[in-house]
Amino acid sequence: ETELRISEFSLAAGLFLLHLDLAAGKVHTIQYKNSPDDSAWIELTRFPAKLVFEHFVFADEIGTNPRRYYRLQIGENSVGPP
């Protein structure tokens, strides 16, 4: 399988957990806002492009922000021969 897939998400012990199957050959970036009215998205993490499909579990501590909005951006292929 080579396409991005969100296989599961949950809240547990103050953590937001996101299970991702990352697409091969793509850069993936997770960003958040604390309010939909915030003008800018804040980058939490970036996954560099890999040559193969990969499963990953992302965890974010919620802290004092019980409402947080996330998005996942997918970048262009940056792996392989030029």
Side-chain angles (χ1 to χ4, degrees):
E1 187 168 324
T2 60
E3 297 301 315
L4 169 71
R5 187 177 77 136
I6 297 173
S7 58
E8 180 182 344
F9 59 91
S10 61
L11 288 173
L15 293 174
F16 170 71
L17 301 173
L18 181 63
H19 294 252
L20 301 167
D21 296 329
L22 302 178
K26 301 286 184 181
V27 175
H28 299 80
T29 304
I30 296 177
Q31 300 175 327
Y32 78 94
K33 288 182 176 187
N34 288 320
S35 166
D37 297 328
D38 290 349
S39 60
W41 288 92
I42 299 167
E43 184 173 311
L44 278 173
T45 193
R46 179 180 301 243
F47 304 98
K50 303 283 185 171
L51 290 174
V52 296
F53 161 86
E54 182 178 8
H55 181 81
F56 187 82
V57 179
F58 169 77
D60 183 32
E61 192 171 333
I62 300 300
T64 59
N65 297 305
R67 290 187 182 197
R68 187 171 267 184
Y69 301 84
Y70 295 91
R71 76 177 180 184
L72 177 64
Q73 290 192 312
I74 303 170
E76 291 301 311
N77 184 350
S78 62
V79 173

